[in-house]
Amino acid sequence: MSTLKPLQPVPADQPETPKAKKKRWGLILGSASAIAALGGGVFWGMNIPDPKESEEYIALSDTTTAVFAERDKLSSELNELKSGLAEREGELEQQGKDLDARSTKLDERDEKLAGAEAAVAAREKAVGKIEVEQEENSVSDGIWTVGTDIKAGTYRAKEAVGSNCYWAVLKSGTNGDDIVNNGIPGGGRPTVTVRKGQDFESVRCGTWVKQ
């Protein structure tokens, strides 16, 4: 193995010859080549491991794979939840429509019921009025003076009379001695017309109603 000789400095006052300059540069280049070769041999001889084969890399890779698998699982579950939610929303929307339809029908029934109740109330009022008028213009058994006790007009038995019914129209003030008209109908619903100045007598005939 050759030994590199140290470079001899050139005196400042002595100019360097071309031969000496060439020799100096040769020594510099040779030293640089030797150093590069030595460094390259050392680097080439080093045994550098593959980072992908390290335990840390393998553990990290397994963790990453597990995370991605968990992510895919959660994503699938989320999609199922979204699908179920959309289906439930559709069911709720249909139920809302059904409720609206029922509410509309109930409103229509309420309107009809209110109309029917109003009609019944009007009829009851009319019937009540008729009943009041009938009550005011009704005559039962007894002797009644026309113009004082009862109104003049035609009266009819409210219900069918029995065979023992008797009625009479009398001249007022005669104490029943002056009979204008009388009858024993024996059944049916007889009618009697009375005028002012007369008395009306009814015996076992029930109620008479002015027509």
Side-chain angles (χ1 to χ4, degrees), residues 79-136:
N79 290 334
E80 291 180 0
L81 289 174
K82 288 181 178 180
S83 177
L85 180 61
E87 183 178 356
R88 183 57 179 165
E89 288 177 347
E91 293 176 355
L92 290 175
E93 183 178 359
Q94 184 61 42
Q95 290 179 1
K97 291 180 179 179
D98 294 340
L99 288 175
D100 290 340
R102 290 182 180 180
S103 178
T104 300
K105 291 182 179 180
L106 287 175
D107 291 340
E108 293 176 354
R109 289 180 59 184
D110 288 342
E111 290 179 359
K112 291 181 180 180
L113 181 59
E117 289 178 348
V120 170
R123 185 169 59 184
E124 289 179 348
K125 184 178 180 180
V127 170
K129 184 178 180 181
I130 293 173
E131 290 178 348
V132 170
E133 291 177 351
Q134 286 182 350
E135 185 69 23
E136 292 177 349

